[in-house]
C-alpha cells in the first residue's frame, strides 16, 4: 500500500499493518509494534468522505491476514519504505536560487583568476563555502528564533495531540481556525504539545522555546551572520582588487 504524507510517498507493506480504522471522516492505518507498551505508529488521513473511508478500510482490512494476539510482531515503522518525494514550487525556487548563487561565485572566481587576484585561487572558493555555511545557519536558526519570538505573541496558540511516531521523531496534529489539520514534528514532548502557528500560514508553527534555547539560537545566528559577512566581504574585496589591476 502506498501512502502520501508530508510531501513523501511511502510504501507500507501489509505485514506491517496491524489494523485499519475508519472513523467519521478519517482513516487511520495502525502499524504493528514489536515492543509491549510502546504506542504503535499511526498514519492518519483526515477530511475524507464517509463512503471513501468505508471502502478503503474494507479493502485493506480484507487483505490483512489474521494474526493471533500473542503472535510476535515486527515494528511496522521499520518496514515502511520511502518511494518518492514530491517537489513543489518552493523547493524549485530554492534550487534555482542556489544555482544562481553558485553561478555568480564561479563567475567571480574565474574573473579574479583571469585578472590575477592578490590571493591564491583556492582561497576564494573556501571563503565562499565559509559564507554559504553562515547563510545556512543564519537562515534556519534565524527563522526559528524569529518564529519562536513572534508567533507566541502574535499567532494562535493551540494544544497539539500526538498523532504518530516516525523512526526518529514524534508527529503532532493540530487544527487551525478553518478546521484544516496540520502536522508538526518534534523529537521531545508528551502526548500533547503547545504550539503557536501563523494565522496567515497555519502550516508554519513553532513549539515554545525556553529562554536558554533562545539565547543559544541567538548566539549561533550571530555566528552565522559573521561567517556570511566575512566570506562575502573577502570575495568582493578580491574582485575589487582584481578589477583595479
Amino acid at each position: 500500500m502506498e501512502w502520501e504524507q508530508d510531501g513523501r510517498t511511502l510504501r507500507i507493506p501489509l505485514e506491517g499493518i496491524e489494523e485499519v480504522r475508519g472513523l467519521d471522516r478519517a482513516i487511520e492505518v495502525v502499524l504493528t509494534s514489536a515492543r509491549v507498551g510502546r504506542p504503535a505508529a499511526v498514519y492518519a488521513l483526515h477530511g475524507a468522505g464517509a463512503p471513501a473511508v468505508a471502502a478503503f478500510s474494507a479493502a485493506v482490512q480484507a487483505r490483512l491476514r489474521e494474526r493471533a494476539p500473542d503472535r510476535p510482531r515486527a515494528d511496522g515503522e521499520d518496514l515502511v519504505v520511502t518511494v518518492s518525494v514530491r517537489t513543489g514550487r518552493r523547493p524549485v525556487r530554492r534550487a534555482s536560487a542556489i544555482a544562481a548563487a553558485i553561478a555568480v561565485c564561479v563567475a567571480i572566481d574565474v574573473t579574479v583568476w583571469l585578472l590575477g587576484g592578490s590571493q591564491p585561487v583556492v582561497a576564494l572558493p573556501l571563503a565562499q563555502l565559509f559564507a554559504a555555511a553562515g547563510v545556512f545557519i543564519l537562515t534556519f536558526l534565524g527563522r526559528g528564533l524569529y518564529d519562536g519570538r513572534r508567533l507566541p505573541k502574535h499567532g494562535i496558540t493551540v494544544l497539539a495531540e500526538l498523532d504518530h511516531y516516525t523512526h526518529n521523531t514524534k508527529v503532532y496534529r493540530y487544527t487551525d481556525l478553518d478546521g484544516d489539520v496540520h502536522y508538526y514534528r518534534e523529537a521531545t514532548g508528551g502526548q500533547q504539545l503547545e504550539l503557536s502557528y501563523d494565522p496567515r500560514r497555519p502550516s508554519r508553527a513553532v513549539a515554545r522555546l525556553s529562554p536558554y534555547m533562545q539565547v543559544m539560537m541567538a548566539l549561533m545566528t550571530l555566528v552565522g551572520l559573521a561567517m556570511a559577512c566575512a566570506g562575502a566581504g573577502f570575495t568582493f574585496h578580491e574582485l575589487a582588487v582584481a578589477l583595479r589591476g
Side-chain angles (χ1 to χ4, degrees):
M1 183 182 72
E2 291 192 353
W3 184 275
E4 289 192 5
Q5 180 170 320
D6 299 330
R8 301 177 300 160
T9 300
L10 307 175
R11 181 168 293 151
I12 306 176
L14 292 177
E15 57 266 26
I17 299 176
E18 183 70 34
E19 64 172 327
V20 177
R21 298 193 291 245
L23 306 179
D24 183 21
R25 290 179 58 83
I27 300 169
E28 292 185 345
V29 177
V30 183
L31 302 188
T32 56
S33 178
R35 280 176 270 182
V36 178
R38 178 188 176 186
V42 178
Y43 288 92
L45 175 65
H46 300 269
V53 169
F56 178 84
S57 302
V60 177
Q61 200 69 40
R63 298 185 62 184
L64 296 180
R65 298 177 181 177
E66 290 189 10
R67 286 175 289 208
D70 57 347
R71 180 181 174 182
R73 268 100 161 143
D75 268 324
E77 194 68 26
D78 295 336
L79 303 177
V80 177
V81 177
T82 300
V83 180
S84 64
V85 179
R86 290 203 309 266
T87 57
R89 295 181 179 178
R90 186 172 300 175
V92 171
R93 288 199 299 265
R94 187 181 299 119
S96 299
I98 293 174
I102 292 175
V104 170
C105 290
V106 170
I108 292 175
D109 294 349
V110 172
T111 300
V112 172
W113 178 70
L114 291 175
L115 296 178
S118 61
Q119 297 290 336
V121 69
V122 72
L124 265 181
L126 290 178
Q128 290 156 2
L129 288 175
F130 190 72
V135 169
F136 179 84
I137 295 173
L138 180 63
T139 300
F140 286 91
L141 287 184
R143 175 180 171 177
L145 180 62
Y146 175 76
D147 286 346
R149 296 283 297 174
R150 182 180 67 90
L151 292 182
K153 297 179 181 179
H154 304 288
I156 298 176
T157 300
V158 295
L159 202 59
E161 299 287 340
L162 179 62
D163 187 81
H164 62 273
Y165 294 88
T166 66
H167 65 286
N168 59 0
T169 190
K170 299 176 182 178
V171 180
Y172 290 85
R173 179 183 69 252
Y174 65 97
T175 305
D176 62 24
L177 293 178
D178 296 325
D180 295 327
V181 177
H182 306 274
Y183 296 91
Y184 182 86
R185 296 175 180 271
E186 175 64 43
T188 61
Q191 291 296 317
Q192 294 180 323
L193 182 67
E194 186 177 291
L195 299 176
S196 299
Y197 70 85
D198 189 339
R200 293 173 297 181
R201 293 177 56 189
S203 60
R204 185 169 179 173
V206 65
R208 186 173 297 277
L209 298 175
S210 66
Y212 171 79
M213 184 61 68
Q214 292 183 37
V215 171
M216 295 304 297
M217 290 177 68
L219 291 176
M220 291 304 298
T221 300
L222 291 176
V223 170
L225 177 61
M227 292 171 61
C229 291
F234 180 81
T235 298
F236 287 107
H237 169 76
E238 289 301 305
L239 178 61
V241 170
L243 292 175
R244 286 199 304 266

